[in-house]
Amino acid sequence: MLQCEIVTPERKLYSDEINFVVIPASEGEMGIYAKHEPVVTTLKSGTVRVTEAEGQEPVRYIVAGGYAQIEADRVIVLADHAAALQELDETAIKVHIDDLTEKMADLKDDDPNRAFIEDEVKWNQVLLEQTK
């Protein structure tokens, strides 16, 4: 078995023993079983697929940015952003993007909040793509 954690700066989304996990590494998708060679890799936007038991459907998490630390008995996904796929609501995401875009339109180019809002818009666009 392999201990797996998915963590963002705000919270821990997942922590459990699993059989297998696939992460969106910057070099491409990476499948990990127990006894994997130690590796640290950056993440690209994509889906982490966690298989808790043999033959079970994977639980999916959408991630963007960050990195993964892989050891023989543990995988820690430290993502800039992450969300459980089953919790996504397409309509709510669209409304949130519209609200953020409206806020951004009122900001000057040099406003320090602009970069934060732009990042939030990009993250919500990644989430929106995953709901389709």
Side-chain angles (χ1 to χ4, degrees):
M1 294 299 277
L2 184 65
Q3 180 67 31
C4 180
E5 294 181 11
I6 301 173
V7 182
T8 69
E10 292 85 27
R11 65 186 174 134
K12 185 183 291 190
L13 267 81
Y14 184 87
S15 180
D16 208 347
E17 285 199 356
I18 64 167
N19 186 51
F20 179 68
V21 63
V22 176
I23 62 171
S26 56
E27 306 84 30
E29 284 197 337
M30 181 182 236
I32 303 152
Y33 283 103
K35 300 183 182 176
H36 195 283
E37 286 292 315
V39 175
V40 174
T41 183
T42 56
L43 298 173
K44 63 181 180 179
S45 296
T47 305
V48 174
R49 298 186 309 270
V50 178
T51 303
E52 295 176 340
E54 190 71 38
Q56 202 174 43
E57 280 294 311
V59 180
R60 298 172 189 272
Y61 294 88
I62 309 308
V63 297
Y67 69 95
Q69 179 179 343
I70 300 152
E71 300 170 6
D73 62 348
R74 167 175 269 177
V75 174
I76 303 171
V77 175
L78 298 161
D80 294 339
H81 300 281
L85 183 61
Q86 64 270 19
E87 295 175 4
L88 299 182
D89 177 345
E90 182 178 0
T91 303
I93 294 169
K94 286 179 179 178
V95 168
H96 191 55
I97 290 172
D98 290 344
D99 290 346
L100 290 168
T101 304
E102 193 173 301
K103 282 182 187 176
M104 208 165 41
D106 295 337
L107 299 176
K108 294 180 181 180
D109 288 344
D110 62 347
D111 190 307
N113 293 316
R114 188 174 191 82
F116 173 76
I117 294 173
E118 286 174 347
D119 185 54
E120 281 297 305
V121 169
K122 288 177 188 173
W123 166 238
N124 279 274
Q125 289 170 337
V126 168
L127 292 177
L128 187 59
E129 289 172 16
Q130 298 300 319
T131 62
K132 298 180 184 209

